[in-house]
Amino acid sequence: MTEDTDAKPPTVTPVRVVIALCLVAPFVAMLWVGSYAKVDPTFIGIPFFYWYQMVWVLISTALTMVAYKLWQRDQRARKGGAST
């Protein structure tokens, strides 16, 4: 038999839930247009509608980086635990 058939099925862990939340949060924030479809408050003359989306570009970058680092750590832990 190959090693692939002996592999454990994916499991839901708290770390993986945090990873999923990090990746889903920007989609929810951007798809809920009613929450930011307004002009006020303006920031240096830029309507809220625009600067809110630009801030989410930065937040999304940070959340994606956090999710990636958590995924790497989770994969290393799984490989380390599987070999013992």
Side-chain angles (χ1 to χ4, degrees):
M1 298 255 170
T2 63
E3 254 184 54
D4 293 337
T5 58
D6 296 334
K8 294 180 183 176
T11 57
V12 177
T13 63
V15 172
R16 290 182 180 192
V17 171
V18 171
I19 291 169
L21 290 174
C22 285
L23 296 175
V24 169
F27 287 102
V28 172
M30 291 292 91
L31 290 175
W32 186 19
V33 178
S35 70
Y36 63 93
K38 52 189 172 184
V39 175
D40 291 324
T42 59
F43 177 69
I44 58 171
I46 302 170
F48 181 73
F49 180 78
Y50 294 112
W51 68 257
Y52 176 83
Q53 292 177 68
M54 291 301 106
V55 167
W56 268 102
V57 168
L58 300 174
I59 294 170
S60 298
T61 302
L63 289 173
T64 302
M65 185 179 69
V66 167
Y68 178 70
K69 292 297 183 182
L70 287 173
W71 180 255
Q72 281 184 325
R73 189 174 75 175
D74 184 60
Q75 292 300 83
R76 279 194 303 267
R78 284 177 62 90
K79 287 180 183 176
S83 64
T84 56

